[in-house]
Amino acid sequence: MSSTEKRGGFGGKLAAILAAAGSAIGLGNIWRFPYITSENGGGAFILIYLGCILLLGLPLLIAEFAVGHNTKRNPIDAFSTIRKGWGWLGAMGIFSVTLIMGYYFVISGWTLNYAISSATNAITGDYGAFFCDFTTAVWKPLLFTYLFILANHFIIIGGVQGGIEKASKVMMPLLFVILIVLAIYSLWLPEGREALGNVFTPDFSKVTGKTFLDAMGQAFFTLSVGMGAMLIYGSYFKDGTKIAGTAISVVSLDTIVALTAAVIIFSAGVADQSGMQLAFVAMPKVFSSMPLGNLWATLFFLLLGLAALSSTISMHEAVTSYFVEKRGMSRGVGAAIVTVVAMLLATGASLSLGAWDSYRVAGMNFFSLLDNFTAIVMLPVLGILTSIFVGWVWKKEDMRKELTAEGGVDAATYPVIRFLLRYVCPVLVSVVFVCGIVAFIRGL
Ligand code: TRP
C-alpha cells in the first residue's frame, strides 16, 4: 500500500503513552466511574473493577496495540493484513466508534458551556433547572457541541505528530495538574476525608451479579478497547516502542485518574447522585457553597472537557484513517467527512433530549440508544472478537514475535497474556454479554 510510506507516527515513547492515555482517560473516568462505584458498594466494586482491568482490559489493550503496531495500517487493513477476510472486524470497530461519537460529543459540548458559565458566574439558582433548560434547548447545546467537534477537526488535520501528539502533550499534563489541585483541595476539607473513608470501605453486601457486569463494562469503556482507536494509535508507535510497557503505563494512568476523580467526587459528598446529575447538577451545587467556588467549578469542567477532547480525537482519528488509507482521500477531506457525520449524529442525539424526545425505539431516545447499544452490545462483542482474533486466528509464531521481540514482553510473561486472550477473555466477556442483554431486556 503506497500510503504506508507517508503515514504519520508519534515521535517517541512519551508521545505514545500520552496520546493513548488521553484516549483512555475521558468522561468514563471522571464522571462515570465515581457514580458506578458508589452505586455498587464502593470499595468492593473497586476491587472487582481492578480485577477486570488486569484480567481483561490490559490483555485486550496489548492485543489491540499489537495488531496496529504489527501492521501499521488502519483498523480494516490491519485485521485483513494479518488474516485475509477479517477486515470486517475493523469495520465493526469503526462503525461503533462513530456511534459513540454521536452522544459523547454532546456531553463534551456541555462541559464547554459549563466551564464558561462557571467562570462567568452564570450558573445561578436551581442547578437542576439550569441543566434541564440547557440540555433540552435547541441551539445552545448544539452550538457548544459543534464547537467541540470543530476543535477535534483542527487537531486531526494537524496530523499525527503536528496535531494529536502536540495536543496530547499540552492537554495531558494540564489535566494531571488540575486533577491534583482538585484532589488536594478536596482532601483538605474535613468532611471530604470523612466521606472518603465511608465510600472506600468495601461493602460486600452490595455485590451482586450486576456489580460484575458494571465492573467489566466500565473496564472496557475506560480503556477504549475494541473500537480501533487504540489500534490506530498502536499503528503510529515508533519502531522499538514496547507494546506491553506502554499498555501498562496507559492502564496505570487511567486507573490513577479514575480513583482520584472518585476521591474528588466522594469528598464532595455527592456520590449518591448518579448519571448526568452528578457532574452537571450536584457538583456545581457543592462548588457554589465553597470559598472560591467559581474557580473550583471552572477547573472541574475544564478537567472534564480536556479529558473528553483527548478521547474524542482518538475516535475521530480512527475513522479518519479509514477515509485516508482505504478511500485514498487527503487528510483534510477524510477528516471533514468524519466531522460532518459526527455533527449529524450529535445533532440527533442532542435534539433527542428535548425537541425530538418523542421519537423513541424500545423506549429509548436516540441519545440513550447510541449509549446503550454501544455499551451493552458492541463493546463486549468487539472484546470477544478481538481476543479470539489475537488468541486463535493470528498465527501463533507471528504474534509471539510481535510481543516478545519488539513488544518487550519477556518469555515468561508471554504465555500468561496468551492464555488470558485465548480463554479468559472470550469466556468471561461472553458471560457478561449474555447477562447484560438479559438484564437489559428485563429492565425494559
Ligand atoms: N475511554 C473513554 C472514556 O473513558 C471512552 C471511550 C470508549 C473511547 N470507547 C472509546 C474513547 C473509543 C476513544 C475511542 O471516556
Side-chain angles (χ1 to χ4, degrees):
M1 209 182 56
S2 62
S3 54
T4 314
E5 291 98 64
K6 54 175 166 34
R7 254 182 140 249
F10 295 128
K13 289 171 194 164
L14 182 68
I17 291 173
L18 288 180
S23 173
I25 298 166
L27 298 170
N29 302 58
I30 298 166
W31 156 74
R32 201 162 176 271
F33 178 75
Y35 80 79
I36 292 206
T37 299
S38 76
E39 270 177 16
N40 284 292
F45 173 83
I46 293 176
L47 291 177
I48 297 169
Y49 167 80
L50 292 177
C52 294
I53 288 277
L54 282 179
L55 292 180
L56 307 172
L58 180 62
L60 273 170
L61 185 59
I62 292 175
E64 219 181 310
F65 279 162
V67 171
H69 182 251
N70 188 259
T71 56
K72 302 207 169 31
R73 299 272 198 281
N74 63 84
I76 297 180
D77 289 327
F79 284 107
S80 65
T81 302
I82 289 178
R83 181 61 71 88
K84 240 182 138 170
W86 276 77
W88 55 270
L89 185 48
M92 265 174 81
I94 289 177
F95 173 69
S96 308
V97 88
T98 307
L99 297 184
I100 290 197
M101 280 196 279
Y103 78 91
Y104 204 97
F105 270 131
V106 176
I107 310 176
S108 307
W110 298 347
T111 67
L112 204 56
N113 178 37
Y114 268 77
I116 296 171
S117 299
S118 302
T120 56
N121 205 6
I123 312 179
T124 45
D126 184 333
Y127 295 92
F130 181 91
F131 177 72
C132 192
D133 288 346
F134 167 61
T135 55
T136 57
V138 174
W139 288 109
K140 205 171 169 196
L142 280 181
L143 178 76
F144 284 104
T145 298
Y146 292 160
L147 276 175
F148 203 92
I149 297 177
L150 285 178
N152 267 264
H153 182 80
F154 288 111
I155 293 174
I156 294 300
I157 58 176
V160 179
Q161 221 169 348
I164 298 173
E165 176 171 332
K166 246 193 200 153
S168 303
K169 281 185 169 164
V170 175
M171 288 194 288
M172 297 315 285
L174 193 59
L175 184 148
F176 294 133
V177 169
I178 298 179
L179 191 76
I180 291 168
V181 169
L182 285 174
I184 292 174
Y185 180 63
S186 51
L187 287 177
W188 176 68
L189 300 168
E191 55 274 44
R193 289 193 294 269
E194 196 182 318
L196 203 62
N198 296 338
V199 186
F200 275 106
T201 311
D203 177 0
F204 286 99
S205 68
K206 278 197 187 168
V207 173
T208 60
K210 187 177 170 292
T211 312
F212 286 89
L213 264 183
D214 283 352
M216 292 198 208
Q218 176 65 19
F220 280 13
F221 186 80
T222 194
L223 293 181
S224 317
V225 286
M227 309 236 154
M230 289 303 195
L231 188 154
I232 198 74
Y233 276 7
S235 80
Y236 297 143
F237 290 174
K238 223 176 161 172
D239 286 337
T241 305
K242 303 234 180 299
I243 305 273
T246 308
I248 290 172
S249 305
V250 170
V251 166
S252 311
L253 287 171
D254 185 80
T255 305
I256 291 170
V257 171
L259 292 174
T260 312
V263 168
I264 294 169
I265 287 182
F266 293 156
S267 61
V270 294
D272 54 330
Q273 306 272 334
S274 74
M276 316 279 187
Q277 301 288 323
L278 172 68
F280 297 99
V281 178
M283 289 307 283
K285 199 165 162 188
V286 171
F287 289 129
S288 73
S289 62
M290 291 176 177
L292 294 176
N294 278 354
L295 172 71
W296 305 119
T298 310
L299 284 179
F300 177 73
F301 288 110
L302 216 55
L303 174 73
L304 267 183
L306 282 172
L309 184 57
S310 59
S311 293
T312 49
I313 55 175
S314 74
M315 305 183 192
H316 197 300
E317 177 64 23
V319 190
T320 298
S321 74
Y322 159 77
F323 285 110
V324 175
E325 293 181 8
K326 278 301 279 178
R327 303 265 151 195
M329 294 174 186
S330 70
R331 200 170 170 82
V333 174
I337 295 179
V338 179
T339 296
V340 171
V341 170
M343 280 181 170
L344 288 174
L345 285 171
T347 302
S350 181
L351 291 177
S352 80
L353 299 174
W356 292 355
D357 186 50
S358 53
Y359 301 104
R360 283 170 181 259
V361 177
M364 290 174 283
N365 59 29
F366 187 54
F367 187 105
S368 320
L369 198 64
L370 291 175
D371 178 7
N372 283 311
F373 178 68
T374 48
I376 298 172
V377 181
M378 294 316 284
L379 222 56
V381 166
L382 286 165
I384 296 166
L385 291 171
T386 306
S387 56
I388 290 177
F389 181 84
V390 174
W392 297 89
V393 178
W394 197 353
K395 243 169 76 196
K396 191 177 168 189
E397 200 34 42
D398 293 347
M399 183 220 175
R400 195 188 60 78
K401 252 193 230 146
E402 169 63 37
L403 282 189
T404 52
E406 275 220 330
V409 176
D410 57 49
T413 320
Y414 168 74
V416 179
I417 297 176
R418 185 169 162 83
F419 177 80
L420 290 172
L421 285 170
R422 270 168 87 85
Y423 302 102
V424 179
C425 290
V427 172
L428 281 185
V429 184
S430 298
V431 173
V432 179
F433 176 53
V434 173
C435 295
I437 298 272
V438 170
F440 181 76
I441 291 173
R442 282 218 191 115
L444 278 183

